[in-house]
PDB file of all heavy atoms in Angstrom:
ATOM      1  N   LEU P1441      -1.228  -9.804   0.279  1.00 91.00           N
ATOM      2  CA  LEU P1441       0.219  -9.581   0.354  1.00 91.00           C
ATOM      3  C   LEU P1441       0.567  -8.106   0.201  1.00 91.00           C
ATOM      4  O   LEU P1441       1.422  -7.574   0.920  1.00 91.00           O
ATOM      5  CB  LEU P1441       0.932 -10.402  -0.724  1.00 91.00           C
ATOM      6  CG  LEU P1441       0.928 -11.924  -0.544  1.00 91.00           C
ATOM      7  CD1 LEU P1441       1.531 -12.607  -1.757  1.00 91.00           C
ATOM      8  CD2 LEU P1441       1.680 -12.317   0.720  1.00 91.00           C
ATOM      9  N   GLU P1442      -0.081  -7.439  -0.735  1.00 89.00           N
ATOM     10  CA  GLU P1442       0.235  -6.033  -0.975  1.00 89.00           C
ATOM     11  C   GLU P1442      -0.158  -5.154   0.202  1.00 89.00           C
ATOM     12  O   GLU P1442       0.509  -4.160   0.500  1.00 89.00           O
ATOM     13  CB  GLU P1442      -0.472  -5.555  -2.244  1.00 89.00           C
ATOM     14  CG  GLU P1442       0.080  -6.173  -3.525  1.00 89.00           C
ATOM     15  CD  GLU P1442      -0.654  -5.678  -4.760  1.00 89.00           C
ATOM     16  OE1 GLU P1442      -1.729  -5.054  -4.606  1.00 89.00           O
ATOM     17  OE2 GLU P1442      -0.162  -5.901  -5.876  1.00 89.00           O
ATOM     18  N   ASP P1443      -1.246  -5.517   0.890  1.00 90.00           N
ATOM     19  CA  ASP P1443      -1.758  -4.668   1.968  1.00 90.00           C
ATOM     20  C   ASP P1443      -1.184  -5.019   3.332  1.00 90.00           C
ATOM     21  O   ASP P1443      -1.313  -4.223   4.276  1.00 90.00           O
ATOM     22  CB  ASP P1443      -3.283  -4.776   2.046  1.00 90.00           C
ATOM     23  CG  ASP P1443      -3.967  -4.275   0.778  1.00 90.00           C
ATOM     24  OD1 ASP P1443      -3.292  -3.619  -0.031  1.00 90.00           O
ATOM     25  OD2 ASP P1443      -5.166  -4.561   0.610  1.00 90.00           O
ATOM     26  N   LEU P1444      -0.577  -6.194   3.458  1.00 90.00           N
ATOM     27  CA  LEU P1444      -0.148  -6.655   4.777  1.00 90.00           C
ATOM     28  C   LEU P1444       0.824  -5.695   5.442  1.00 90.00           C
ATOM     29  O   LEU P1444       0.639  -5.309   6.602  1.00 90.00           O
ATOM     30  CB  LEU P1444       0.484  -8.045   4.663  1.00 90.00           C
ATOM     31  CG  LEU P1444       0.976  -8.635   5.994  1.00 90.00           C
ATOM     32  CD1 LEU P1444      -0.197  -8.864   6.941  1.00 90.00           C
ATOM     33  CD2 LEU P1444       1.740  -9.936   5.769  1.00 90.00           C
ATOM     34  N   ALA P1445       1.874  -5.296   4.731  1.00 89.00           N
ATOM     35  CA  ALA P1445       2.892  -4.428   5.338  1.00 89.00           C
ATOM     36  C   ALA P1445       2.316  -3.082   5.770  1.00 89.00           C
ATOM     37  O   ALA P1445       2.545  -2.646   6.899  1.00 89.00           O
ATOM     38  CB  ALA P1445       4.069  -4.246   4.381  1.00 89.00           C
ATOM     39  N   PRO P1446       1.578  -2.366   4.898  1.00 89.00           N
ATOM     40  CA  PRO P1446       0.999  -1.110   5.364  1.00 89.00           C
ATOM     41  C   PRO P1446       0.017  -1.280   6.518  1.00 89.00           C
ATOM     42  O   PRO P1446      -0.015  -0.452   7.428  1.00 89.00           O
ATOM     43  CB  PRO P1446       0.297  -0.540   4.128  1.00 89.00           C
ATOM     44  CG  PRO P1446       0.370  -1.560   3.070  1.00 89.00           C
ATOM     45  CD  PRO P1446       1.382  -2.553   3.451  1.00 89.00           C
ATOM     46  N   PHE P1447      -0.764  -2.357   6.509  1.00 91.00           N
ATOM     47  CA  PHE P1447      -1.698  -2.564   7.613  1.00 91.00           C
ATOM     48  C   PHE P1447      -0.945  -2.868   8.911  1.00 91.00           C
ATOM     49  O   PHE P1447      -1.266  -2.314   9.970  1.00 91.00           O
ATOM     50  CB  PHE P1447      -2.652  -3.712   7.291  1.00 91.00           C
ATOM     51  CG  PHE P1447      -3.755  -3.353   6.327  1.00 91.00           C
ATOM     52  CD1 PHE P1447      -4.415  -4.334   5.604  1.00 91.00           C
ATOM     53  CD2 PHE P1447      -4.137  -2.030   6.138  1.00 91.00           C
ATOM     54  CE1 PHE P1447      -5.432  -4.004   4.719  1.00 91.00           C
ATOM     55  CE2 PHE P1447      -5.155  -1.688   5.256  1.00 91.00           C
ATOM     56  CZ  PHE P1447      -5.798  -2.682   4.540  1.00 91.00           C
ATOM     57  N   LEU P1448       0.058  -3.744   8.850  1.00 89.00           N
ATOM     58  CA  LEU P1448       0.821  -4.093  10.049  1.00 89.00           C
ATOM     59  C   LEU P1448       1.491  -2.872  10.663  1.00 89.00           C
ATOM     60  O   LEU P1448       1.507  -2.695  11.885  1.00 89.00           O
ATOM     61  CB  LEU P1448       1.880  -5.146   9.719  1.00 89.00           C
ATOM     62  CG  LEU P1448       1.410  -6.589   9.503  1.00 89.00           C
ATOM     63  CD1 LEU P1448       2.582  -7.466   9.078  1.00 89.00           C
ATOM     64  CD2 LEU P1448       0.763  -7.142  10.766  1.00 89.00           C
ATOM     65  N   SER P1449       2.055  -2.018   9.821  1.00 87.00           N
ATOM     66  CA  SER P1449       2.807  -0.862  10.318  1.00 87.00           C
ATOM     67  C   SER P1449       1.907   0.238  10.868  1.00 87.00           C
ATOM     68  O   SER P1449       2.406   1.181  11.486  1.00 87.00           O
ATOM     69  CB  SER P1449       3.683  -0.291   9.201  1.00 87.00           C
ATOM     70  OG  SER P1449       2.891   0.177   8.128  1.00 87.00           O
ATOM     71  N   HIS P1450       0.600   0.125  10.651  1.00 87.00           N
ATOM     72  CA  HIS P1450      -0.337   1.131  11.155  1.00 87.00           C
ATOM     73  C   HIS P1450      -1.427   0.479  11.993  1.00 87.00           C
ATOM     74  O   HIS P1450      -2.551   0.968  12.047  1.00 87.00           O
ATOM     75  CB  HIS P1450      -0.966   1.900   9.994  1.00 87.00           C
ATOM     76  CG  HIS P1450      -0.012   2.787   9.266  1.00 87.00           C
ATOM     77  ND1 HIS P1450       0.859   2.311   8.310  1.00 87.00           N
ATOM     78  CD2 HIS P1450       0.224   4.128   9.371  1.00 87.00           C
ATOM     79  CE1 HIS P1450       1.580   3.324   7.844  1.00 87.00           C
ATOM     80  NE2 HIS P1450       1.221   4.425   8.465  1.00 87.00           N
ATOM     81  N   ALA P1451      -1.099  -0.632  12.656  1.00 87.00           N
ATOM     82  CA  ALA P1451      -2.078  -1.358  13.477  1.00 87.00           C
ATOM     83  C   ALA P1451      -1.602  -1.376  14.922  1.00 87.00           C
ATOM     84  O   ALA P1451      -1.039  -2.371  15.386  1.00 87.00           O
ATOM     85  CB  ALA P1451      -2.263  -2.783  12.941  1.00 87.00           C
ATOM     86  N   PRO P1452      -1.816  -0.275  15.661  1.00 79.00           N
ATOM     87  CA  PRO P1452      -1.281  -0.181  17.025  1.00 79.00           C
ATOM     88  C   PRO P1452      -1.870  -1.193  17.994  1.00 79.00           C
ATOM     89  O   PRO P1452      -1.236  -1.541  18.994  1.00 79.00           O
ATOM     90  CB  PRO P1452      -1.654   1.260  17.431  1.00 79.00           C
ATOM     91  CG  PRO P1452      -2.829   1.618  16.574  1.00 79.00           C
ATOM     92  CD  PRO P1452      -2.596   0.920  15.272  1.00 79.00           C
ATOM     93  N   ALA P1453      -3.069  -1.670  17.732  1.00 82.00           N
ATOM     94  CA  ALA P1453      -3.728  -2.578  18.678  1.00 82.00           C
ATOM     95  C   ALA P1453      -3.503  -4.052  18.347  1.00 82.00           C
ATOM     96  O   ALA P1453      -4.110  -4.919  18.973  1.00 82.00           O
ATOM     97  CB  ALA P1453      -5.229  -2.276  18.713  1.00 82.00           C
ATOM     98  N   LEU P1454      -2.654  -4.336  17.368  1.00 86.00           N
ATOM     99  CA  LEU P1454      -2.405  -5.732  17.005  1.00 86.00           C
ATOM    100  C   LEU P1454      -1.644  -6.417  18.131  1.00 86.00           C
ATOM    101  O   LEU P1454      -0.606  -5.934  18.593  1.00 86.00           O
ATOM    102  CB  LEU P1454      -1.589  -5.795  15.714  1.00 86.00           C
ATOM    103  CG  LEU P1454      -1.380  -7.184  15.122  1.00 86.00           C
ATOM    104  CD1 LEU P1454      -2.702  -7.773  14.642  1.00 86.00           C
ATOM    105  CD2 LEU P1454      -0.391  -7.132  13.964  1.00 86.00           C
ATOM    106  N   GLY P1455      -2.159  -7.557  18.580  1.00 84.00           N
ATOM    107  CA  GLY P1455      -1.542  -8.252  19.702  1.00 84.00           C
ATOM    108  C   GLY P1455      -0.266  -8.988  19.312  1.00 84.00           C
ATOM    109  O   GLY P1455      -0.153  -9.538  18.214  1.00 84.00           O
ATOM    110  N   ASP P1456       0.702  -9.001  20.226  1.00 84.00           N
ATOM    111  CA  ASP P1456       1.959  -9.704  19.973  1.00 84.00           C
ATOM    112  C   ASP P1456       1.731 -11.202  19.777  1.00 84.00           C
ATOM    113  O   ASP P1456       2.421 -11.852  18.979  1.00 84.00           O
ATOM    114  CB  ASP P1456       2.931  -9.479  21.138  1.00 84.00           C
ATOM    115  CG  ASP P1456       3.461  -8.054  21.181  1.00 84.00           C
ATOM    116  OD1 ASP P1456       3.253  -7.324  20.181  1.00 84.00           O
ATOM    117  OD2 ASP P1456       4.061  -7.671  22.190  1.00 84.00           O
ATOM    118  N   ASP P1457       0.753 -11.758  20.491  1.00 87.00           N
ATOM    119  CA  ASP P1457       0.490 -13.197  20.378  1.00 87.00           C
ATOM    120  C   ASP P1457       0.065 -13.568  18.953  1.00 87.00           C
ATOM    121  O   ASP P1457       0.412 -14.656  18.464  1.00 87.00           O
ATOM    122  CB  ASP P1457      -0.604 -13.614  21.363  1.00 87.00           C
ATOM    123  CG  ASP P1457      -0.137 -13.549  22.810  1.00 87.00           C
ATOM    124  OD1 ASP P1457       1.090 -13.485  23.029  1.00 87.00           O
ATOM    125  OD2 ASP P1457      -0.998 -13.535  23.715  1.00 87.00           O
ATOM    126  N   GLU P1458      -0.668 -12.678  18.307  1.00 87.00           N
ATOM    127  CA  GLU P1458      -1.098 -12.962  16.932  1.00 87.00           C
ATOM    128  C   GLU P1458       0.085 -12.973  15.982  1.00 87.00           C
ATOM    129  O   GLU P1458       0.153 -13.789  15.066  1.00 87.00           O
ATOM    130  CB  GLU P1458      -2.130 -11.911  16.496  1.00 87.00           C
ATOM    131  CG  GLU P1458      -3.448 -12.051  17.239  1.00 87.00           C
ATOM    132  CD  GLU P1458      -4.330 -10.830  17.106  1.00 87.00           C
ATOM    133  OE1 GLU P1458      -3.860  -9.728  17.435  1.00 87.00           O
ATOM    134  OE2 GLU P1458      -5.477 -10.988  16.669  1.00 87.00           O
ATOM    135  N   VAL P1459       1.027 -12.069  16.194  1.00 88.00           N
ATOM    136  CA  VAL P1459       2.223 -12.023  15.355  1.00 88.00           C
ATOM    137  C   VAL P1459       3.105 -13.238  15.630  1.00 88.00           C
ATOM    138  O   VAL P1459       3.670 -13.842  14.710  1.00 88.00           O
ATOM    139  CB  VAL P1459       3.010 -10.717  15.593  1.00 88.00           C
ATOM    140  CG1 VAL P1459       4.234 -10.664  14.694  1.00 88.00           C
ATOM    141  CG2 VAL P1459       2.120  -9.506  15.359  1.00 88.00           C
ATOM    142  N   VAL P1460       3.207 -13.624  16.900  1.00 88.00           N
ATOM    143  CA  VAL P1460       3.992 -14.815  17.257  1.00 88.00           C
ATOM    144  C   VAL P1460       3.377 -16.058  16.624  1.00 88.00           C
ATOM    145  O   VAL P1460       4.083 -16.905  16.061  1.00 88.00           O
ATOM    146  CB  VAL P1460       4.069 -14.973  18.791  1.00 88.00           C
ATOM    147  CG1 VAL P1460       4.671 -16.332  19.153  1.00 88.00           C
ATOM    148  CG2 VAL P1460       4.896 -13.857  19.401  1.00 88.00           C
TER     149      VAL P1460
END
Side-chain angles (χ1 to χ4, degrees):
L1441 291 174
E1442 291 180 347
D1443 297 346
L1444 180 64
F1447 283 159
L1448 285 176
S1449 63
H1450 291 81
L1454 187 66
D1456 289 348
D1457 290 344
E1458 291 165 305
V1459 181
V1460 170

